[in-house]
Amino acid sequence: MDKAKQFLWPSSRTAAVMTMGKIIFYEDRNFQGRSYETSSDCADMSSYLSRCLSCRVESGCFMVYDRTNYMGNQFFVRRGDYSDYQRMGMSDCITSCRMIPLHRGQFRIRIFERENMSGQFQELQEDCDNIMERLGMNECPSCQVMDGHWLLFEQPDFRGRMIYLRPGEFRSSREMGMIGARFMSMKRIVDSCS
C-alpha cells in the first residue's frame, strides 16, 4: 500500500490505521466559485478562499467549523455533498476543518461527574443515546478519551450541537469546547467514513 496514503497511528494498546481523506471546499453554495482541496487539517481557510459556503467529501471523515482554529459550531461530514453551510447548522461560513483519522480497534471513554476528572466516573465502549437515563449522570464536565474518536451531542438521541473529541484528557467543559452547554449523548466515529 502507498505510504503516502497510510501510516501507523501510535497507541499503547492498539494500532490504528489513518487513511487520508479528501474534501473540497467551494466559495459559493451548490459547489460554485473558486475551490480549495485538502486531505489534512486546515486551521484557517482564508488564505485559500474568501469564504466557504459548500463542500464535497470525496473520502474520509472531517469536522468542519465556523470559526478559525477549530472553534465555534462544529459539523461532522463524511463522503457526500453538502451544498449549503446553513443546512449543516453553521451560523457563519466554514473557516476551518480537521481530518478525522480512521480508527480500528476498541473505543473507550471515561466521563466524570466533576471537573479535573474527579468524582465518580463511567467508562463507555459503545454509543450512548441518553447519558442521564442510561448512566444516571446529569452532568459530565470532564472526560478522558482513551481509545477511538467520539462525537458528543448536547441533546439525547445524537441531536443538537456536536463536539469532536480525539484521544486525550479534557479536564473541563471549556477544554471539550462545550462552553455554556453540556452533552447528553455520545457516539463513536466508526470506520464507515469512506
Side-chain angles (χ1 to χ4, degrees), residues 121-150:
F121 69 89
Q122 297 283 339
E123 185 173 306
L124 297 167
Q125 296 181 351
E126 299 289 330
D127 299 348
C128 182
D129 62 349
N130 193 319
I131 291 169
M132 191 154 51
E133 284 182 9
R134 186 169 155 201
L135 305 175
M137 297 177 81
N138 60 359
E139 216 169 320
C140 310
S142 61
C143 71
Q144 178 184 17
V145 178
M146 282 110 47
D147 292 301
H149 299 261
W150 296 77

Side-chain angles (χ1 to χ4, degrees), residues 30-148:
N30 298 313
F31 320 108
Q32 301 296 308
R34 291 186 326 149
S35 64
Y36 166 65
E37 179 181 310
T38 187
S39 293
S40 61
D41 296 353
C42 181
D44 186 357
M45 283 193 268
S46 64
S47 301
Y48 309 103
L49 300 172
S50 61
R51 65 182 180 275
C52 175
L53 303 182
S54 59
C55 66
R56 175 174 285 134
V57 180
E58 293 195 354
S59 62
C61 297
F62 292 83
M63 287 303 288
V64 295
Y65 303 81
D66 65 2
R67 298 282 180 258
T68 58
N69 298 312
Y70 322 112
M71 303 295 288
N73 292 315
Q74 304 180 24
F75 191 78
F76 175 73
V77 292
R78 61 176 54 175
R79 188 174 193 172
D81 293 342
Y82 301 87
S83 62
D84 188 345
Y85 74 103
Q86 288 181 322
R87 290 188 192 146
M88 291 189 256
M90 305 299 240
S91 60
D92 202 353
C93 63
I94 300 166
T95 59
S96 60
C97 76
R98 191 179 294 278
M99 200 254 324
I100 300 173
L102 175 64
H103 175 79
R104 296 188 195 274
Q106 68 180 7
F107 287 78
R108 290 188 322 143
I109 185 171
R110 284 186 182 161
I111 55 175
F112 294 83
E113 67 178 352
R114 292 194 205 114
E115 287 192 347
N116 294 315
M117 299 186 320
S118 62
Q120 292 188 355
F121 69 89
Q122 297 283 339
E123 185 173 306
L124 297 167
Q125 296 181 351
E126 299 289 330
D127 299 348
C128 182
D129 62 349
N130 193 319
I131 291 169
M132 191 154 51
E133 284 182 9
R134 186 169 155 201
L135 305 175
M137 297 177 81
N138 60 359
E139 216 169 320
C140 310
S142 61
C143 71
Q144 178 184 17
V145 178
M146 282 110 47
D147 292 301

